[in-house]
Amino acid sequence: MRFYQVEPTLENYWRGVILFGRNAATYKFALAQALYDIQQQKPGSDLILLADLAQPFSQHLCRHLQQAPKQGTAGRSRFLDACQQFNRGEIGQDRLTELTVRLGFANVLDAFHIVNRAEIATRFFVDERKSHGAIRLTENFYQLGERPQYHSLALETEARWRLVEQAWAQGISRQLIGVEYDEQTRMLFSQLNARRVNITSCRDALNGYQKGRCFYCDTPVSLRSGDQNLADVDHVIPWAIRDKVPNIDGVWNLVLACRNCNRGSAGKLALAPPKWAMERLRQRNDYIIDSHLPLHETLSRQTGATASARLHFLQRAWNTAIETLIHIWQQPAPRGEETL
């Protein structure tokens, strides 16, 4: 798909797996988190026995089950039942590990590298269950761990996991999830039975779709609190004209930006965005639409159910910004514009 084909880096192939794979269960997220853990615990060890992988894999699912009982679309799962038994203190870690090895990896190892019904060109592990009862991490995975953006991937995975859980909790097939943004906390939230439910950090949810870079200049940004490169959450159509543009706090209008572009002396501030930024926003929103549950539904509700309707929505918003604000931010497009 275009997301990683225009820029086939290891980070983008990995993000393709996390963001664009269809999810019948959350096992793929738990496996990704377990692999992050294994990489830290056993650096340089490429053969990972299922018994060693089982503990972090099951523990991530147990942790999520405590807050979100629905971790799959199937009516019943013997493996998830075992995780729930562990949470209730009915079985111990050794028994959970045994059941995880037997039941937990049945489909996820085969499905991990599948995006849009085809395998991605870059593998991060190979399946050696039959010969060694293990998986073998590839050099791609170790190189991924050395990349500057590696620290963001676990946060992006967690954010995606939380969003999928919330969609299922609200019965996405019957009631489209409405994801909203809280300016003060920088959190995405939704309403469930008249109760506000915080889902995840807006930064963590959006970073992967921008490939870990500032929306405007392509400078790498960070998700770690206190980091000097911590991303700002910016409104592409400025918040100053919130009375004239519908749902200006919607995900469709939120991007991550470096401090210089967002609020530096020559930054965007409350100026209308340049035209190239609106095209970039359209492409970024298309990535979100392509990622299925649950931000797909949010953007469809906010901007339109078809590509043409979403394009017209953005054009109207930009025209309103120009007519109201007059001045356009004179920022040249980054060289990587075509690789968003």
Side-chain angles (χ1 to χ4, degrees):
M1 61 180 303
R2 186 181 190 278
F3 181 85
Y4 45 72
Q5 289 172 343
V6 297
E7 191 181 10
T9 65
L10 293 176
E11 299 95 318
N12 292 341
Y13 277 117
W14 184 271
R15 285 176 169 131
V17 168
I18 301 303
L19 297 176
F20 299 102
R22 290 185 179 273
N23 303 113
T26 59
Y27 295 1
K28 183 177 288 190
F29 307 135
L31 179 57
Q33 296 288 27
L35 291 175
Y36 301 140
D37 293 345
I38 288 289
Q39 197 270 347
Q40 295 173 358
Q41 296 167 5
K42 296 186 175 184
S45 177
D46 62 344
L47 189 68
I48 309 300
L49 297 176
L50 294 188
D52 292 332
L53 188 61
Q55 182 167 342
F57 176 72
S58 60
Q59 287 297 328
H60 282 291
L61 278 162
C62 287
R63 174 173 57 86
H64 273 258
L65 280 165
Q66 291 174 345
Q67 301 298 324
K70 191 171 181 60
Q71 294 294 324
T73 57
R76 186 76 182 271
S77 163
R78 292 173 60 199
F79 170 55
L80 290 179
D81 286 347
C83 291
Q84 292 283 33
Q85 288 178 308
F86 176 83
N87 282 346
R88 294 192 297 266
E90 297 171 3
I91 62 173
Q93 181 61 62
D94 289 346
R95 177 58 173 163
L96 178 60
T97 297
E98 175 192 337
L99 291 170
T100 302
V101 171
R102 184 149 52 91
L103 305 172
F105 299 117
N107 298 312
V108 68
L109 296 181
D110 294 327
F112 188 83
H113 294 95
I114 303 297
V115 179
N116 288 348
R117 300 183 181 180
E119 184 172 312
I120 60 174
T122 298
R123 290 193 69 93
F124 295 98
F125 63 81
V126 293
D127 185 355
E128 295 190 5
R129 279 178 289 181
K130 291 184 179 180
S131 57
H132 294 96
I135 63 170
R136 189 177 298 276
L137 301 178
T138 67
E139 185 61 26
N140 292 325
F141 184 78
Y142 289 107
Q143 290 180 10
L144 180 70
E146 296 171 356
R147 300 297 179 91
Q149 295 183 21
Y150 182 72
H151 72 273
S152 296
L153 298 179
L155 297 173
E156 294 171 22
T157 301
E158 189 72 9
R160 176 70 179 170
W161 192 343
R162 295 291 184 189
L163 283 160
V164 169
E165 285 174 343
Q166 188 61 22
W168 287 341
Q170 289 190 268
I172 195 69
S173 62
R174 301 183 300 276
Q175 175 187 348
L176 298 183
I177 186 172
V179 177
E180 301 175 59
Y181 173 63
D182 185 295
E183 176 75 32
Q184 290 187 327
T185 64
R186 303 292 196 269
M187 292 288 291
L188 297 180
F189 69 93
S190 65
Q191 299 289 335
L192 182 59
N193 299 326
R195 177 173 61 91
R196 171 174 160 159
V197 179
N198 284 339
I199 305 175
T200 187
S201 161
C202 183
R203 293 186 181 99
D204 297 355
L206 296 181
N207 193 62
Y209 297 107
Q210 294 181 204
K211 303 175 181 176
R213 300 192 297 252
C214 171
F215 180 80
Y216 300 109
C217 71
D218 276 348
T219 299
V221 293
S222 173
L223 300 180
R224 290 189 285 199
S225 180
D227 194 301
Q228 63 177 358
N229 295 320
L230 179 66
D232 281 354
V233 179
D234 181 49
H235 295 76
V236 178
I237 301 297
W239 192 76
I241 59 170
R242 57 193 177 279
D243 294 335
K244 299 188 176 183
V245 176
N247 202 8
I248 206 165
D249 274 334
V251 174
W252 70 270
N253 191 41
L254 301 176
V255 299
L256 303 186
C258 69
R259 294 180 185 179
N260 285 338
C261 286
N262 186 42
R263 48 195 165 104
S265 58
K268 178 172 160 287
L269 303 174
L271 299 174
K275 186 175 182 179
W276 63 260
M278 296 305 296
E279 172 56 26
R280 215 167 213 230
L281 182 62
R282 182 197 64 78
Q283 180 62 65
R284 195 290 307 266
N285 286 348
D286 280 352
Y287 286 152
I288 294 178
I289 290 288
D290 289 343
S291 68
H292 313 299
L293 292 173
L295 292 181
H296 172 120
E297 283 75 14
T298 293
L299 259 73
S300 293
R301 295 178 72 184
Q302 291 175 350
T303 63
T306 65
S308 61
R310 293 191 291 272
L311 178 60
H312 291 151
F313 178 91
L314 291 180
Q315 287 175 335
R316 290 195 302 272
W318 190 56
N319 289 338
T320 300
I322 293 173
E323 292 168 1
T324 307
L325 301 170
I326 309 301
H327 300 291
I328 299 176
W329 186 34
Q330 299 302 311
Q331 171 78 354
R335 273 191 254 172
E337 179 187 357
E338 72 282 358
T339 64
L340 183 63

